[in-house]
Amino acid sequence: MCASIEKSMLIADLQQQILQWQGFKQIEKKDYAICLGELEKAFPGHVFPVGTLHEFMMESNEEEAASSGFIGGLLSFLMQKDGVGLWISSSSQLFAPSIKLFGVDPDRIIFVNMEKQKDILWALEEGLKCEGIRVVIAEVQDIDFVQSRRLQLAVEKSKVTGFVLRLKSRFRGTTTCAARWHISPLPSHVQGDMPGVGSPEWEVELLKVKNGNPSRWQVGWRQNQFQAKRLVLSSNPIYHAKRKVG
């Protein structure tokens, strides 16, 4: 009996070590209660991975705006205690005050504009090395495995969370990112006959996640939190061909 218990404990310990080697920081769920609802079940331990890299694949400006909005919701939880954020952009399309919708003070985020991709990659890596920064977001069109490995080594030391926005990427091979996302905009949610544009709504697809379960959800932002409902993936091969992103 004792031998069986020791074996189970050893296996559990090895599983946790493997997750950490793959970029998943072991955290207490209460420390980062991002409250993604059904979506959280896709991750190991049903906990959104922080202190690692996430990449967002985008094919249009509309998807870029949707991804930025979804990240704004994540920032409201990642930055709720302390720290600052760093947002590195090449397009200057983000309207900084808009993230107030998610309860994030734009004064706590450093916005940097750069034109060259190599400069953005350099700034991204340097930002991820800084332990005083809570989260770094960067618009990087292409990133290969070696470059992503450098970024992963940086976050393993600093425990900073990184979001890489990849608009119309030409290279979609393997990276060390813990998760690969695709966010599409949906019509906003309007309650009853209330006037206005309503609350944000997205179709969120988790294309890849290490040791997790990729799937697709309809996610909304209501009452300062996410509400997610899992969507059934279509069995139509044409549907998947149109949606293929990574």
Side-chain angles (χ1 to χ4, degrees), residues 74-143:
L74 297 176
L75 291 180
S76 70
F77 297 99
L78 293 173
M79 299 180 62
Q80 62 184 343
K81 294 184 178 180
D82 53 21
V84 298
L86 175 62
W87 198 306
I88 309 166
S89 172
S90 60
S91 60
S92 302
Q93 292 187 359
L94 177 69
F95 182 58
S98 64
I99 61 176
K100 288 185 177 180
L101 172 66
F102 305 100
V104 180
D105 186 352
D107 290 338
R108 293 178 58 196
I109 298 180
I110 302 170
F111 295 95
V112 179
N113 291 325
M114 293 182 168
E115 295 183 0
K116 297 181 179 180
Q117 289 291 299
K118 65 176 183 179
D119 293 336
I120 295 176
L121 276 171
W122 174 83
L124 171 59
E125 183 176 354
E126 293 302 310
L128 292 174
K129 291 178 180 178
C130 183
E131 297 180 2
I133 295 178
R134 178 69 66 187
V135 59
V136 180
I137 306 101
E139 298 174 7
V140 180
Q141 183 180 26
D142 290 310
I143 182 172

Side-chain angles (χ1 to χ4, degrees), residues 18-34:
I18 291 173
L19 287 176
Q20 292 179 16
W21 292 337
Q22 292 182 332
F24 283 87
K25 176 187 174 185
Q26 187 176 7
I27 62 171
E28 293 293 334
K29 192 168 184 178
K30 62 181 180 180
D31 293 338
Y32 288 92
I34 294 184

Side-chain angles (χ1 to χ4, degrees), residues 35-241:
C35 301
L36 284 170
E38 287 291 320
L39 205 157
E40 287 185 340
K41 296 179 181 179
F43 301 110
H46 296 178
V47 179
F48 180 87
V50 300
T52 188
L53 293 173
H54 298 252
E55 58 182 343
F56 292 78
M57 311 302 291
M58 306 169 297
E59 290 299 313
S60 65
N61 291 333
E62 291 78 11
E63 290 182 355
E64 181 182 15
S67 298
S68 297
F70 182 74
I71 289 174
L74 297 176
L75 291 180
S76 70
F77 297 99
L78 293 173
M79 299 180 62
Q80 62 184 343
K81 294 184 178 180
D82 53 21
V84 298
L86 175 62
W87 198 306
I88 309 166
S89 172
S90 60
S91 60
S92 302
Q93 292 187 359
L94 177 69
F95 182 58
S98 64
I99 61 176
K100 288 185 177 180
L101 172 66
F102 305 100
V104 180
D105 186 352
D107 290 338
R108 293 178 58 196
I109 298 180
I110 302 170
F111 295 95
V112 179
N113 291 325
M114 293 182 168
E115 295 183 0
K116 297 181 179 180
Q117 289 291 299
K118 65 176 183 179
D119 293 336
I120 295 176
L121 276 171
W122 174 83
L124 171 59
E125 183 176 354
E126 293 302 310
L128 292 174
K129 291 178 180 178
C130 183
E131 297 180 2
I133 295 178
R134 178 69 66 187
V135 59
V136 180
I137 306 101
E139 298 174 7
V140 180
Q141 183 180 26
D142 290 310
I143 182 172
D144 59 29
F145 182 84
V146 175
Q147 291 168 332
S148 68
R149 180 57 181 162
R150 288 175 59 92
L151 301 177
Q152 182 59 39
L153 290 174
V155 299
E156 287 177 3
K157 293 181 179 180
S158 66
K159 309 305 180 186
V160 177
T161 301
F163 297 131
V164 181
L165 301 176
R166 302 179 59 185
L167 178 61
K168 297 180 180 179
S169 178
R170 297 165 297 181
F171 174 78
R172 297 171 183 171
T174 301
T175 66
T176 61
C177 295
R180 176 176 288 181
W181 303 78
H182 179 225
I183 314 294
S184 302
L186 291 176
S188 59
H189 173 79
V190 179
Q191 186 174 2
D193 296 326
M194 295 291 291
V197 296
S199 55
E201 201 88 9
W202 308 279
E203 182 178 311
V204 176
E205 188 169 3
L206 195 54
L207 299 170
K208 296 180 182 179
V209 56
K210 293 179 180 178
N211 297 297
N213 302 297
S215 190
R216 188 164 58 96
W217 301 264
Q218 180 177 336
V219 180
W221 180 261
R222 303 189 191 100
Q223 299 178 343
N224 297 321
Q225 65 180 3
F226 289 109
Q227 292 187 7
K229 178 178 67 174
R230 187 169 182 175
L231 299 175
V232 178
L233 292 174
S234 172
S235 59
N236 188 341
I238 298 179
Y239 174 85
H240 287 292

